[in-house]
Amino acid sequence: MTIAVVGLGAMGLGIAQVYAQAGHKVRATDQVAAARETARARLEAALAPRVAKGSLSAAEAAETVARLEVVEDIARLGPCDLAIEAVAEVLAVKQAVFAALQEVMPNAVLATNTSSLSVGTISVGLTRPNQLLGLHFFNPAPAMRLVELIPHATTSPQALTLARQLTEAAGKVVIQAPDRPGFIVNRCARPYYGEALAMLEERRNAVEIDAAMLAAGYRLGPFALIDLIGADINLAATEGLSAAMNHHPRYHVFAALKAQVASGALGQKAGKGFISGPIEPRENAEISLRIESTLVNEAAWLLPEGGVTAEGIDTAMRLGLNFPLGPFAALQQHGAAKVVAMLNDLEAKAPATLKTRYIAAPMLKESSRPS
Ligand SMILES: NC(=O)c1ccc[n+]([C@@H]2O[C@H](COP(=O)([O-])OP(=O)(O)OC[C@H]3O[C@@H](n4cnc5c(N)ncnc54)[C@H](O)[C@@H]3O)[C@@H](O)[C@H]2O)c1
């Protein structure tokens, strides 16, 4: 099969690598000459550590690089089976890219790597909108196993099957997600950060909160994770989702996060963040149950909206965020009664700005009732 990739930035190059490693011919382009000219050298550099470690032979690495052909513009991509765009996160830019792709490869399945735009909205104006779907890779694409597969209202089953098969054969775990803000992972992850920030604003300590989540089996506490992602990136994602969800308090943008961004302590890239130095895990059931209860609640609100399964949500959260367990596994572990009691308690004590944040999803209330 031949795969087209448009945009050779961080994501596009990683996506090109995924399919080239799986043996496909990849034809790629970028509007910036420097991105095109450096693409093959960057791919070679990305493979070099694996060659040095002995997990990839020099010949295999060279073959992978040889499978990537960089062309000057979309018109020169020629016919391909699947085309993935990883260009700027701007609706008009993505729509123009797909309109051009449909001219060049009328039969190709088209995929967007958008993280925050609606796939259905991107499809508006295309001559064959049923060929478009979302393939949401995580960063870095070659290392992260999860890919969210997002149909919009008229995506054809054939397009979905082709995108799924090619991506699974390239070693990814493909989970279908609804075309709703944040898909699965970016939406269901919000409480991990938000509830930690709520506790920080209640004068709890960031180290104590992170230590509790480490003791509960999480690889990184919420604040160490914000430091890794960058507080500015985390704030932008939170604000985007909050706006898309009509500013519901479940997606509240906490002042503590805004203040952190304003202070410049953005995390690892700034050399200072919420956390400095390693943290020893320290059990604190009140903190971990509180954060896990809000994670469970978000997933329980999402599930009945459709287009996703409880298993799919759990797998996506484990693979997309390296969580030790998904929200429905956490629900099983704690039991609905305990989770709902925690949420009710939080709702009762919530300040005015957060009222309704903790209202338990109907399916949780239902299963917490004594039978
Ligand atoms: N970075 C992440 O963590 C991440 C994760 C998942 C999804 N995404 C999404 O992937 C997409 C790309 O993100 P990125 O981080 O790789 O960005 P990036 O800025 O690193 O790369 C974007 C590339 O696209 C090129 N480009 C822009 N407009 C173009 C056009 N019209 N035609 C051809 N090339 C064009 C740019 O020159 C640039 O090289 C965005 O939609 C983003 O939301 C990013």
Side-chain angles (χ1 to χ4, degrees), residues 7 9-11 30-32 86-89 93-94 113 115 136-137 139:
M11 294 307 294
D30 194 292
Q31 69 178 9
V32 173
V87 301
E89 187 74 348
V93 174
K94 292 196 188 293
N113 186 45
S115 26
H136 184 220
F137 287 79
N139 192 13

Side-chain angles (χ1 to χ4, degrees), residues 173-331:
V173 175
V174 176
I175 300 290
Q176 192 155 320
D179 189 18
R180 308 254 309 130
F183 308 131
I184 299 173
V185 174
N186 283 348
R187 171 170 165 183
C188 289
R190 290 311 5 121
Y192 195 60
Y193 317 113
E195 215 39 41
L197 289 159
M199 286 189 255
L200 194 72
E201 290 188 4
E202 290 165 16
R203 307 250 166 266
R204 286 200 106 125
N205 175 293
V207 170
E208 180 193 15
I209 296 167
D210 269 25
M213 296 318 287
L214 293 181
Y218 290 75
R219 219 180 274 181
L220 282 176
F223 292 106
L225 193 51
I226 295 176
D227 284 347
L228 178 72
I229 295 165
D232 52 339
I233 304 286
N234 192 275
L235 176 62
T238 308
E239 284 179 334
L241 196 66
S242 173
M245 299 305 243
N246 295 320
H247 304 287
H248 189 287
R250 285 210 313 278
Y251 314 98
H252 183 74
V253 183
F254 285 89
L257 183 59
K258 288 192 204 164
Q260 189 73 5
V261 173
S263 79
L266 303 179
Q268 287 183 7
K269 64 185 168 188
K272 60 178 180 202
F274 282 111
I275 302 289
S276 53
I279 294 180
E280 281 297 313
R282 197 189 172 108
E283 218 168 290
N284 184 326
E286 190 202 332
I287 292 175
S288 56
L289 178 64
R290 175 168 170 176
I291 291 182
E292 285 192 327
S293 296
T294 53
L295 286 166
V296 167
N297 199 31
E298 190 58 43
W301 279 107
L302 170 63
L303 184 63
E305 291 173 18
V308 67
T309 63
E311 259 181 351
I313 293 176
D314 272 10
T315 305
M317 294 300 279
R318 281 192 290 103
L319 300 182
L321 289 160
N322 286 324
F323 276 8
L325 80 180
F328 290 102
L331 175 61

